[in-house]
Amino acid sequence: METAAIITLVILGVLLILFIADVFHIVTTSILACLALVVSGVIPFGLAFAGFSSDIFFLITGMMIVGNALFATGVAQVAGKKIISIVGTNERIFLLAIILMCLPISAFLTNTATVAMMLPVAAAATAASGGKFTKKNTYMMVGLASVSGGALTLVSSTPQLIAHEILQNQGHQELGFFDISIAGAPIAILIILYALFVAYPLQKKLLNFPEVTEEPPTAGAPGDVNPEEKKSVFKMWVSAGVLVFCVFGFIMGSILDNWLTPGTIALIGATACVISGCMTQKQVFQKLDWTSIIVIGCSFGFANALDHSGAARYIAEGAVGLLGDGVTPWLLGIVLVFIAMVLGNFMSNTATAALLIPIAIAMALALDYNVTHMALIVAIGANISFSTPLASPALTMTLQGGYRFKDYIIIGGLFNLLAFLAVIMVIPLIFMLV
């Protein structure tokens, strides 16, 4: 193994220990890890902090501003009261409702865009519930449900699209639109059951940090004659319209290849909120969740280090190489899912799929196994990383709920194990049905 790969694994190992032990704030630890990767010569500064110029970074930042504008203008509070009037004040029922909204949306949009849209909904309901709903009991489940929905269709996440493209380019059987649903549907059902009957009581027992509450809106109520309050009604319509624009933009982006990127759409929406007076520039910076933003930016550095140093490749090739030539298709599938799942908790599922799928195809050809099956199995494995807030921007965004790193390991990690076991059981179905 090359020196850079060893250094990367050591740094990320120390990073994980610091995260779990909660020695420093998660932001401080993340920045220190990126700096260590630069100082040690593993990757240049530009790669270590490349996440701060990525499209996903601006998507998340922009949608945070749009979400905060919905609160500042009073739209979120109105929406929250409407939700409560429909689902009542039982937090479990609310949790079920919001998961059932996340799953179909993330089946056709990116899970990051889904979380960006759904967190303001969750925040609105918690603010209007009078303490009956809490962010710490709902935010992480929004992230887990949205990531789970990424394994429902061919277009719901990038790993299966990468598998589809590689198979197509190499002349193999391509993936069907719902092939990945063989594993995605059971995981979607599992997250519903897990959230309601396992995670909910577990969170109430373990998450004892104080709840972060939203400030009440400063705008007046609709219908009054005061000029300032009439102005606030205009702002309410503008902020609501911005959200609709963003949702429409995300949908069009999933349909049209040459459409604006999600980050561009989110920034247009955020800028519109400021120009229209829905939020002042000062409010924008005061209300942003800087913890989530900085951790998201740094997480790309960790992924770049694993990729650039060759550490991820050594892990993948080494683990698969240990199996030998006599490995059965089922055991090979289990190992590929496990490697993809583990790597996906520290680097993007896109990078994980791009790294592992060619290895899986080469193994399948050498052993005379079905190439499409193995590529699909890797795509599934890349979609079931739930154990850390670094696993995907969708989970990193839920840090706004006030969670610690170890909360994800316990609550997300348990679901990760259950999802892994579920995938193991459906691998034989993949061999029969795909």
Side-chain angles (χ1 to χ4, degrees), residues 128-408:
S129 69
K132 293 183 174 64
F133 302 161
T134 60
K135 290 183 178 181
K136 58 189 177 185
N137 287 339
T138 54
Y139 270 32
M140 191 185 297
M141 293 304 110
V142 169
L144 293 179
S146 298
V147 175
S148 298
L152 286 173
T153 69
L154 179 65
V155 299
S156 56
S157 189
T158 51
Q160 50 265 41
L161 289 172
I162 290 173
H164 182 82
E165 183 177 353
I166 292 176
L167 290 169
Q168 184 182 61
N169 291 340
Q170 294 188 9
H172 302 296
Q173 178 188 338
E174 302 167 10
L175 298 181
F177 193 79
F178 291 108
D179 281 349
I180 199 168
S181 304
I182 297 172
I187 292 172
I189 295 171
L190 185 62
I191 186 58
I192 295 172
L193 298 176
Y194 179 77
L196 297 180
F197 302 111
V198 180
Y200 184 73
L202 192 61
Q203 288 181 128
K204 289 181 74 69
K205 182 179 180 180
L206 296 179
L207 306 183
N208 51 12
F209 51 82
E211 178 76 3
V212 179
T213 57
E214 296 289 341
E215 296 179 5
T218 57
D224 292 345
V225 295
N226 186 289
E228 181 61 28
E229 293 179 347
K230 287 185 178 180
K231 182 181 179 182
S232 73
V233 175
F234 167 74
K235 292 178 182 179
M236 290 177 72
W237 279 105
V238 170
S239 60
V242 166
L243 180 62
V244 172
F245 162 77
C246 290
V247 173
F248 172 79
F250 297 150
I251 294 172
M252 292 302 296
S254 68
I255 298 173
L256 304 176
D257 291 336
N258 59 348
W259 185 253
L260 299 174
T261 67
T264 304
I265 294 166
L267 282 183
I268 291 173
T271 305
C273 289
V274 175
I275 292 175
S276 63
C278 294
M279 292 191 76
T280 65
Q281 197 72 50
K282 183 178 180 180
Q283 286 176 319
V284 166
F285 288 102
Q286 286 177 336
K287 294 293 185 180
L288 276 175
D289 180 50
W290 291 102
T291 294
S292 298
I293 289 173
I294 294 175
V295 171
I296 287 167
C298 289
S299 66
F300 283 83
F302 312 150
N304 287 337
L306 281 168
D307 186 27
H308 190 75
S309 69
R313 188 183 71 254
Y314 281 118
I315 293 172
E317 292 178 346
V320 173
L322 289 174
L323 296 174
D325 295 335
V327 62
T328 64
W330 187 59
L331 180 57
L332 178 59
I334 292 173
V335 172
L336 288 172
V337 168
F338 181 78
I339 296 171
M341 179 185 72
V342 172
L343 289 178
N345 273 301
F346 298 96
M347 58 192 292
S348 75
N349 58 10
T350 302
T352 300
L355 170 73
L356 281 181
I357 288 172
I359 296 174
I361 290 176
M363 285 285 293
L365 289 172
L367 296 169
D368 198 26
Y369 294 155
N370 187 296
V371 170
T372 304
H373 291 167
M374 295 306 163
L376 176 57
I377 286 170
V378 171
I380 293 169
N383 274 294
I384 59 168
S385 299
F386 305 100
S387 300
T388 76
L390 308 176
S392 71
L395 286 175
T396 312
M397 291 175 69
T398 65
L399 282 167
Q400 298 173 66
Y403 306 110
R404 300 155 296 187
F405 192 90
K406 61 183 178 182
D407 296 329
Y408 290 90

